[in-house]
Amino acid sequence: MSESSSLRRLGNSGLAVSVVGLGTNNFGLKIDLEQSRAVVHAALDQGINLFDTSDSYGASEERLGEILQGNRDDVLIATKFGSDVRRLGQDNGVDWGARGSRRYIRRAVENSLRRLRTDWIDLYQMHRPDPATPIEETLSALDDLVHEGKVRYLGHSNFSGWQTADAEWVARTGHLERFISAQNEYSWLERSIEADLVPALQHYQIGLLPYFPLASGLLTGKYRRGEPPPEGTRLSGVKQNKGPLSDDILLVVERLTEFAESRKRTMVELAIAWIAAHDVVASVIAGATSPEQVRANVAAADWVLDASDMAQIDALLPPPATA
């Protein structure tokens, strides 16, 4: 592995993760096995040690498990449970019940271990909150997995600030393994978590693993005011001046593009560097469909934005008020 990607502690745990992680939801969806293999090998060469997947990402777990054979001890596999897998046919027609329940978690972890071809999962994340199951039951079931050695650390995804605080209180008072990470959408154009979730993460020393750092492609520079979205892009079906392609949003993107270009940088570099500049962020989860994208993502994290840079960006797109 290369030493080009530095490591950060995930929350206040002993787990050290690369500043850029590889999101693998494209595996089997946009790229085939050999293309996925090339992306993973490029990630390893660039010093990436965190590989993020989910049991709801189609063939992603299976692909990742196959490709990482021989490198398992050098990497950290993060996967998720609790999203809808029925549409993937992974339940064999059986209703697993509430997605935070002990029954569901037991079945989900065994299936993920089998697909990933591993004896343990480094970071097991609850994909989304389950209002049907008390968090006490969920944490108790996850605590058992940690003590059995099937899971090393716990994380959650798409939790709010109050749900994070509630889970922390339950873990502390019940003497259960706690969540050390939170995975939520975060970018210039989606900063809502700064209002309540980020303060909770900072208070409890939980690491943030942001996903969609490029805002579904909006921060790549592909989309411009007055022009239809390019064919084949994620937003190609969205009408001009509607939703994420509104003139207001694209005007902000243009100003950010000018900011990046004035420093001889790309929008992708600026988007990832901005997220990595936040202390609460442990690793930026960035997807890639080619080795070139992997290398660009890692290089972006080497750009350290100073206080003046951050202030100028906030002036273009003010952060939300905190709770």
Side-chain angles (χ1 to χ4, degrees):
M1 286 175 65
S2 164
E3 297 298 328
S4 62
S5 181
S6 58
L7 301 178
R8 295 181 180 180
R9 287 179 65 199
L10 185 53
N12 64 349
S13 76
L15 196 62
V17 296
S18 49
V19 177
V20 173
L22 181 65
T24 64
N25 57 323
N26 289 319
F27 291 10
L29 179 63
K30 291 186 177 181
I31 56 178
D32 62 23
L33 176 59
E34 291 311 309
Q35 291 170 318
S36 301
R37 193 186 308 277
V39 166
V40 169
H41 287 169
L44 292 170
D45 290 341
Q46 291 296 309
I48 289 177
N49 74 346
L50 181 61
F51 294 81
D52 181 76
T53 184
S54 170
D55 62 3
S56 64
Y57 291 169
S60 176
E61 284 187 324
E62 292 175 337
R63 294 278 172 85
L64 190 61
E66 178 176 350
I67 296 168
L68 287 176
Q69 291 299 296
N71 291 291
R72 182 64 185 95
D73 290 336
D74 300 322
V75 300
L76 304 173
I77 294 178
T79 193
K80 310 178 195 74
F81 72 93
S83 195
D84 189 359
V85 297
R86 289 175 296 178
R87 61 186 173 81
L88 303 174
Q90 294 176 0
D91 58 352
N92 296 319
V94 177
D95 182 3
W96 295 9
R99 296 174 193 165
S101 68
R102 183 173 287 103
R103 178 174 185 265
Y104 187 102
I105 291 170
R106 277 286 170 181
R107 185 157 189 163
V109 74
E110 294 297 343
N111 285 341
S112 285
L113 288 168
R114 173 178 52 79
R115 286 189 292 266
L116 289 165
R117 303 188 187 187
T118 185
D119 295 325
W120 77 94
I121 293 166
D122 296 285
L123 181 65
Y124 201 39
Q125 304 161 101
M126 188 173 187
H127 210 151
R128 59 192 74 255
D130 174 25
T133 306
I135 193 65
E136 291 89 343
E137 179 178 341
T138 301
L139 285 171
S140 175
L142 293 172
D143 182 81
D144 289 343
L145 297 181
V146 172
H147 288 285
E148 292 168 13
K150 294 181 178 180
V151 169
R152 300 282 171 83
Y153 296 92
L154 307 177
H156 59 62
S157 177
N158 300 306
F159 274 41
S160 65
W162 77 262
Q163 289 167 326
T164 295
D166 185 42
E168 180 74 16
W169 184 86
V170 168
R172 289 186 182 188
T173 57
H175 305 288
L176 301 169
E177 290 291 328
R178 59 189 289 271
F179 293 121
I180 65 163
S181 68
Q183 190 168 153
N184 290 70
E185 182 176 357
Y186 189 39
S187 70
W188 287 318
L189 301 181
E190 180 45 68
R191 300 182 66 173
S192 61
I193 66 169
E194 293 178 4
D196 74 329
L197 178 65
V198 169
L201 300 182
Q202 292 170 326
H203 181 73
Y204 295 116
Q205 295 182 284
I206 296 172
L208 179 61
L209 302 173
Y211 66 84
F212 286 173
L214 302 180
S216 297
L218 274 172
L219 297 175
T220 61
K222 298 176 183 176
Y223 306 95
R224 300 185 179 276
R225 283 188 300 163
E227 299 178 10
E231 291 295 326
T233 58
R234 184 173 293 184
L235 299 177
S236 60
V238 178
K239 294 182 179 180
Q240 287 180 255
N241 202 26
K242 297 292 184 181
L245 297 181
S246 68
D247 282 349
D248 288 344
I249 291 177
L250 291 180
L251 178 59
V252 172
V253 172
E254 285 181 15
R255 290 173 176 170
L256 290 168
T257 301
E258 293 169 0
F259 179 95
E261 291 177 346
S262 70
R263 288 154 176 79
K264 295 181 170 44
R265 299 281 189 165
T266 67
M267 274 289 288
V268 171
E269 288 178 305
L270 183 54
I272 292 177
W274 179 81
I275 294 178
H278 293 79
D279 290 340
V280 72
V281 173
S283 181
V284 182
I285 304 300
T289 56
S290 69
E292 292 74 22
Q293 286 185 348
V294 173
R295 289 189 282 270
N297 292 342
V298 172
D302 291 335
W303 181 16
V304 179
L305 298 173
D306 60 26
S308 175
D309 293 328
M310 298 296 280
Q312 289 181 61
I313 293 170
D314 279 347
L316 294 174
L317 191 64
T322 56

